[in-house]
Amino acid sequence: MIVDDSLTVRTVFKRMVESDQAMSIVGTASSAERAIAQLKTTHADVILLDLEMPGMGGLDALPEILKTAKDTQVLVVSSLTQDGAEHTMAALSMGAADTMLKPRPGGFNDEYREQLLSKIKALGSHEGESTDAASAKAAAKEPAKRKVAPAKKRPELLAIGASTGGIHALNLLLRDLPTTFDLPILITQHLPASFIPVFARQIEVACGRKTIVAEEGTVITPGEIAVAPGHGHMTLRRRGDRLITKTSSAPARSGCMPSVDPMLESIAEVCEGQALAIILSGMGRDGAQGAETLHKNGGVVFAQDADTSAVWGMPGAVTKAGLTSLVGTPEELREAMIALAGPARVDATAWK
């Protein structure tokens, strides 16, 4: 379903979507109110939602849209303006799965069409799922029931990788963390570069912890959150007894900028594997190779489960590779990471 007040935009998006025979348009709406009315009788796998519309508007309507169409994924089509970034980040934290920048006139080209269709396909088909996903998830969740053993080594830091659907999961994962949880937290989230400062402010408000956009030479501090900049990968190096961020713009294997892989690979080396990585909802396989390196060096890897992921691509890749010690909901992962890093430290082998 396409929801946009511009007839031109609705027409262009309809033409783009219908160029792929695997997709069909079940409805279009010029306002959020009309979209909600249609969704009561029409099922859509994916909704392309404009936020800035007359009347209720997409942002105010989003909770009702998600309530009315519980199994539907929302792809926000956002402008590049500052207000557009603020509204888009709010929508993503409320449960919208992903965002796509609305191009300027003349920007609806073949490259844009391919990006749009790939996002719709991933959201509509739950990329990363397979016929044996149910058994894999059941097996992966089992360790959460095991008894926690006394600790040998405490993680030096927590590193989180996320993409499509990851912002909502991040809010669930990091909210209400106890003050005793003092590990530095590193986050690589796939977002347009212009959205990163807004994202960092949102995380700070949601978590009540100082959150910074990491640049070259940023000192990693216990209890604080560092977010990868949109123009480069966040990696780590050690200077004396301090951990310092280094920004790299080298192409990543995943093609993502920023990428989760360089972050995890540098952590595996600098922290000698003494770290916890959590892979949340996202398209593709970014993070899988970095998680493998961390795992080989003795680190612990958790992943979000398929049931709660908008797209089980990234967490599914590390789970299927046998790298995860725990697969669960964001809330289950939060409980486990608090236990792993808390005063009553646990042995990482207890999760294997």
Side-chain angles (χ1 to χ4, degrees):
M1 180 176 289
I2 301 169
V3 185
D4 196 296
D5 63 310
S6 167
L7 174 60
T8 300
V9 171
R10 295 198 305 273
T11 301
V12 172
F13 277 155
K14 186 173 188 295
R15 187 180 304 124
M16 285 183 171
V17 172
E18 291 183 337
S19 69
D20 190 316
Q21 294 184 353
M23 304 183 196
S24 62
I25 299 296
V26 297
T28 63
S30 59
S31 69
E33 292 89 340
R34 291 177 179 176
I36 292 170
Q38 286 189 48
L39 287 168
K40 291 178 180 178
T41 57
T42 304
H43 171 73
D45 294 304
V46 179
I47 297 173
L48 306 185
L49 178 66
D50 182 22
L51 297 183
E52 300 170 3
M53 295 182 289
M56 182 184 291
L59 184 60
D60 290 338
L62 183 59
E64 185 65 23
I65 289 173
L66 294 173
K67 180 181 176 181
T68 305
K70 293 182 180 179
D71 297 326
T72 301
Q73 301 286 1
V74 175
L75 174 60
V76 171
V77 183
S78 170
S79 72
L80 271 170
T81 64
Q82 181 65 26
D83 284 346
E86 296 279 358
H87 294 163
T88 299
M89 294 308 306
L92 291 171
S93 68
M94 291 162 59
D98 203 356
T99 183
M100 187 84 181
L101 294 176
K102 183 181 290 186
R104 295 179 175 86
F108 289 98
N109 52 29
D110 288 342
E111 181 182 358
Y112 185 87
R113 180 180 67 86
E114 291 303 319
Q115 292 177 1
L116 176 68
L117 296 185
S118 68
K119 285 180 180 286
I120 295 173
K121 285 180 180 178
L123 291 172
S125 62
H126 298 283
E127 177 190 315
E129 290 278 19
S130 64
T131 54
D132 60 351
S135 59
K137 285 183 288 181
K141 283 185 178 180
E142 185 179 352
K145 303 174 184 177
R146 295 184 181 180
K147 188 176 181 180
V148 176
K152 289 181 180 179
K153 283 188 176 181
R154 185 178 191 244
E156 192 170 357
L157 56 81
L158 165 65
I160 305 170
S163 184
T164 305
I167 291 177
H168 182 57
L170 268 168
N171 286 338
L172 298 174
L173 180 73
L174 297 179
R175 71 182 183 187
D176 300 326
L177 283 179
T179 55
T180 52
F181 188 90
D182 61 353
L183 294 186
I185 301 173
L186 275 59
I187 301 175
T188 292
Q189 166 73 48
H190 297 168
L191 276 175
S194 60
F195 286 16
I196 294 294
V198 181
F199 170 63
R201 290 199 301 273
Q202 182 194 84
I203 290 293
E204 181 167 283
V205 171
C207 305
R209 292 174 179 245
K210 182 179 178 180
T211 303
I212 58 174
V213 178
E215 298 293 349
E216 187 76 19
T218 297
V219 178
I220 298 301
T221 305
E224 295 184 2
I225 300 173
V227 175
H231 59 80
H233 317 300
M234 175 173 56
T235 62
L236 281 190
R237 57 180 172 168
R238 196 178 291 277
R239 182 183 296 165
D241 60 351
R242 297 189 301 174
L243 292 175
I244 309 292
T245 61
K246 180 177 176 60
T247 303
S248 169
S249 58
R253 289 181 291 266
S254 65
C256 300
M257 180 68 78
S259 171
V260 180
D261 284 322
M263 175 180 72
L264 296 185
E265 288 168 347
S266 70
I267 288 170
E269 179 181 353
V270 171
C271 298
E272 298 179 344
Q274 198 171 325
L276 167 63
I278 298 181
I279 306 298
L280 299 176
S281 176
M283 290 171 56
R285 295 179 52 83
D286 187 28
Q289 290 178 305
E292 182 178 10
T293 302
L294 181 64
H295 182 266
K296 286 180 178 177
N297 284 27
V300 180
V301 180
F302 292 168
Q304 187 175 354
D305 63 11
D307 288 339
T308 61
S309 295
V311 182
W312 206 52
M314 286 167 54
V318 295
T319 301
K320 293 171 187 177
L323 304 174
T324 50
S325 302
L326 177 67
V327 176
T329 66
E331 294 86 351
E332 290 169 342
L333 300 180
R334 182 179 70 239
E335 291 179 9
M337 76 187 198
I338 291 172
L340 191 64
R345 304 170 188 174
V346 300
D347 183 355
T349 60
W351 300 98
K352 295 182 179 178

